Each structure stands twice: as structure tokens, then as C-alpha cells.
Amino acid sequence: MRKVLYDRFGNEQVLMVREQPTPTIAQNQLLIQVKAASINPLDWKIYRGEMKLLSGSTFPKGVGIDFAGIVAQVGAGVTDYRAGDAVFGFLEVFKGGALADYVVVTETAIAPKPASISFDQAAVLPVTGLAALQIVDELAAVGPGQEVLINGASGGVGLFAIQRAKQRGARVTAVAGPAGVERATQMGADAVVDYTKQAISQLAQRFDAIIDLSDKLTFAEARQLLKSRGTFVSMLPSPLGLVQAFLHNLFSGQKHRILILKPTAAGLRTLADLAEHQLQIPVEKAYELANVRQAYQETSQGKVKGKAVVVLA
Ligand SMILES: NC(=O)c1ccc[n+]([C@@H]2O[C@H](COP(=O)([O-])OP(=O)(O)OC[C@H]3O[C@@H](n4cnc5c(N)ncnc54)[C@H](OP(=O)(O)O)[C@@H]3O)[C@@H](O)[C@H]2O)c1
């Protein structure tokens, strides 16, 4: 089978499509034939070596966290799935390996793919969709009537975070670049700020929750826009940042929460249910596996707005 691997940290030129033996499974595992795998910013942060503390430095390493595909084989101890089932799921975030013809998972990392969405759409849901649920439902605990600012709203997580915050009854102000304004509106944002035309520091409004998906807003900046008991959610879980946020939260009504993604099969089932009924899942671009370097070059340079996938089968 084909699998994307790399033997040292670097830019997308380190990525290679290699022939590997198809993996074998243990009793509690499933072999999945991957139809599509998603591209996430976490992928390039990891292969560039920006997250060595979490990823470790042993090689070769695989790339790609979330995928959708068909169950090819099940171990004797697997109860809920059979060969031929369509599923979507995630691999261990810092181990990766979804850009491959086959992956091995347990039942705790997958859920049935809704028939109403494509494999490409299902592949982009796990990381970004689960991140959006964790951010909006748990970290910001967004509720009816709240004012929510989503900075970086036209990217993968943002598109789902807008929709989730709206479902929970909030009023959403989305911040996006010029190419993302229309998409943020389509996802249901009540107001959209183009950050090339207006700095958010100039906004007169104050927010119950500010979600920064751009990695550019500091807590000090966000505080100026937060209500006295508002919550700021950011995406970079550095050890220093986590300690600073913890200490700050002890003494202030304004809270700083940092996302550490905890993907679960239960979360996937929630996403599947939402996808059946009310979730828009735009996929901007699909790449062939052979073009994996081009895929990461374009997406990491911001040339693709929203979600992109690598198509395998
Ligand atoms: N901690 C965790 O467990 C975890 C889990 C999942 C994701 N993440 C992180 O969460 C972040 C968002 O993920 P994603 O998949 O949504 O990434 P993405 O698709 O790259 O979206 C980021 C967005 O930020 C926008 N942006 C860039 N500069 C901006 C600025 N100055 N002001 C406002 N917006 C700006 C971009 O819009 P334009 O292209 O229009 O500029 C883009 O749409 C990434 O850093 C990712 O690594 C963390």
C-alpha cells in the first residue's frame, strides 16, 4: 500500500509517498481502506518539527490525523462494525499516518459515516468538527443570547464553530480575510469583519466569548474586547501558555482557556448526527496522493481557504 512518510523534520519537501506492507490487525482492531484524509495545520506544525515535545523525534513518521473510508477487515473482538461499513475517524494526533491506503484503528476512534455526506466531507469532520464542539460547548460554554467573536472564522475549525455557536443560540461576529467573508456569512455569522479593512481592536462591542483560530490574538488584546466575565479560547497549548492561563484564571473573572483536542467516538457520533440534519460541510479542494507536497505547500501558504482533502481510493 501507499503511505506518506518522512525521515526528518522540514518543509513539505520531506514528505514521500512510499510502498509499505498492508498492516495486520489485532483482535480489537479494524483495518480501514482510506477513501479520503483531511489536511490540517497540525500536520505541518508536526512535520516541520514545531511540536517535537509532543510528537517525539523518532522516524519515519506518518502524516494526517482524520480520514473516512471502508472497513476492510475486523478483528475477532470487534462487535459494532463489519467489513464493508463506511466509517470516519481519527488516528492519534501526534502519531498520524492517515495519508495511506489503509489505517488500523480501534472502535473508539471511529463512527459510522452518515450516508448523506461524501467521504471527502466525512474526512474533514473529525479534527475540525470535534475542535469546534470542544471549544464552543465546553471551553467557551456558549449559550443563548451570548455575543461571540470568532477570529479566523473562515478556516476549518471556524466554519464549524460559527455553525455550532449559532445552534446554541449565540450572536456570532466572524473575523475573516476578504476571501472568507462570503463563506462566513453562508455559515450563519450575524456580522462579518474583514480584518484587512478593520482592526478588531476598534470594535465598540464587548463579547462573552472570543475564540481565536488565527493564532495571532494575544490574551492581553482579547481582554480589551471581553466582558468582565468573558472567556478567551486560544489554540496553542504550550507548557508556558498553559501555566500562565492557569495562574491568570485563579485571580480574574475573565478566563483564558486553551484547546487540547480530545477526540472521542461519542463526539464523532454527535458530529454524524449534526451532519445528517443541519451541518454545512464545505470542502474546497481535493488532491491526489501523488501531489501531497503540492497539497501541503498550497494549504500551508493559505492558498486554499477552508478544508482540503487528499483522495486515496
Ligand atoms: N490545540 C489543539 O488541540 C488544536 C486542534 C485543532 C486545531 N488547532 C489549531 O487551531 C488553529 C485553527 O485551525 P484551522 O484548521 O481552522 O486552521 P485554518 O483553516 O488555517 O484557519 C485559520 C484561519 O485564520 C485566519 N487568519 C489568518 N490571519 C488572520 C488574522 N490576522 N486575523 C484573523 N484571521 C486570520 C485565516 O484566514 P485567511 O486565510 O483569510 O487569512 C484562516 O481562515 C490552527 O492553528 C490549528 O493548528 C489546535
Side-chain angles (χ1 to χ4, degrees):
M1 70 162 195
R2 300 166 302 164
K3 181 170 184 174
V4 176
L5 291 165
Y6 59 104
D7 293 320
R8 60 186 167 86
F9 293 122
N11 67 18
E12 65 282 342
Q13 297 305 321
V14 300
L15 306 180
M16 288 168 296
V17 181
R18 282 203 196 133
E19 277 301 321
Q20 296 283 295
T22 302
T24 52
I25 52 171
Q27 276 215 335
N28 66 335
Q29 292 177 323
L30 305 90
L31 182 69
I32 312 291
Q33 184 188 12
V34 178
K35 304 276 270 181
S38 163
I39 293 181
N40 289 289
L42 272 171
D43 302 341
W44 62 76
K45 289 179 184 169
I46 295 170
Y47 70 64
R48 285 174 182 168
E50 292 168 15
M51 308 199 83
K52 278 180 206 163
L53 269 183
L54 295 164
S55 71
S57 298
T58 53
F59 298 99
K61 286 191 187 302
V63 182
I65 302 160
D66 42 3
F67 61 86
I70 305 276
V71 176
Q73 279 176 27
V74 296
V78 172
T79 52
D80 289 352
Y81 295 93
R82 283 187 296 187
D85 288 349
V87 296
F88 71 122
F90 51 83
L91 300 180
E92 276 181 56
V93 171
F94 293 102
K95 211 165 161 202
L99 268 62
D101 286 314
Y102 291 92
V103 293
V104 173
V105 291
T106 60
E107 288 173 283
T108 55
I110 54 173
K113 179 186 84 65
S116 57
I117 63 172
S118 67
F119 284 98
D120 289 8
Q121 289 177 306
V124 305
L125 271 182
V127 169
T128 48
L130 292 174
L133 287 185
Q134 210 176 313
I135 291 165
V136 173
D137 294 18
E138 296 171 29
L139 298 179
V142 170
Q146 289 193 344
E147 293 286 342
V148 176
L149 180 79
I150 302 180
N151 191 42
S154 59
V157 179
L159 297 175
F160 296 122
I162 295 173
Q163 296 182 71
R164 188 60 179 168
K166 287 304 298 173
Q167 284 162 9
R168 290 174 68 92
R171 187 178 181 282
V172 175
T173 301
V175 184
V181 169
E182 193 184 335
R183 181 49 63 75
T185 309
Q186 283 167 0
M187 296 299 121
D190 298 282
V192 184
V193 176
D194 176 346
Y195 67 76
T196 64
K197 296 199 176 126
Q198 186 182 9
I200 55 172
S201 56
Q202 304 306 315
L203 294 175
Q205 205 178 345
R206 293 296 171 260
F207 297 90
D208 298 285
I210 298 178
I211 297 164
D212 180 45
L213 304 165
S214 75
D215 298 337
K216 294 197 168 115
L217 194 62
T218 64
F219 183 42
E221 290 163 339
R223 290 187 73 177
Q224 310 303 316
L225 294 164
L226 273 180
K227 293 182 183 173
S228 59
R229 304 198 72 75
T231 301
F232 174 57
V233 184
S234 65
M235 299 296 117
L236 294 175
S238 71
L240 179 63
L242 287 165
V243 171
Q244 283 174 336
F246 174 78
L247 292 175
H248 176 86
N249 291 344
L250 290 177
F251 302 108
S252 170
Q254 292 178 327
K255 303 298 180 196
H256 181 188
R257 314 264 183 230
I258 303 177
L259 176 69
I260 300 174
L261 185 64
K262 296 189 184 79
T264 61
L268 290 180
R269 285 175 190 272
T270 302
L271 285 176
D273 194 42
L274 291 171
E276 293 264 34
H277 299 108
Q278 48 194 327
L279 202 62
Q280 298 183 63
I281 312 170
V283 178
E284 289 303 313
K285 192 153 182 185
Y287 295 91
E288 297 294 325
L289 189 67
N291 300 328
V292 64
R293 290 180 180 172
Q294 181 198 348
Y296 277 104
Q297 190 179 41
E298 291 181 1
T299 50
S300 66
Q301 289 175 0
K303 290 181 181 157
V304 180
K305 307 293 177 196
K307 290 303 297 179
V309 290
V310 173
V311 176
L312 289 116

